[in-house]
Amino acid sequence: MAYKLDGAKFPTLEELITALYPLYADKMSEAEFRKYVQDNVKEE
């Protein structure tokens, strides 16, 4: 299974968070980003 968010696809949810959080760091905390991911991630 892969995880997809904002057009980017990652093999694990942790890899997605690690890779994409720096892009959101100025907009939200890591906890808020994790919530955003849970609400918006697509599993493939």
Side-chain angles (χ1 to χ4, degrees):
M1 180 181 317
Y3 297 90
K4 197 171 181 183
L5 181 73
D6 297 342
K9 191 175 185 181
F10 295 89
T12 68
L13 201 51
E14 263 322 297
E15 286 181 71
L16 181 148
I17 291 168
T18 301
L20 294 184
Y21 176 64
L23 302 174
Y24 291 84
D26 62 334
K27 298 175 187 157
M28 59 184 81
S29 70
E30 186 172 351
E32 290 170 325
F33 180 66
R34 286 180 180 273
K35 174 80 169 110
Y36 172 77
V37 168
Q38 287 179 349
D39 293 344
N40 295 287
V41 74
K42 293 184 176 142
E43 296 179 16
E44 293 187 343

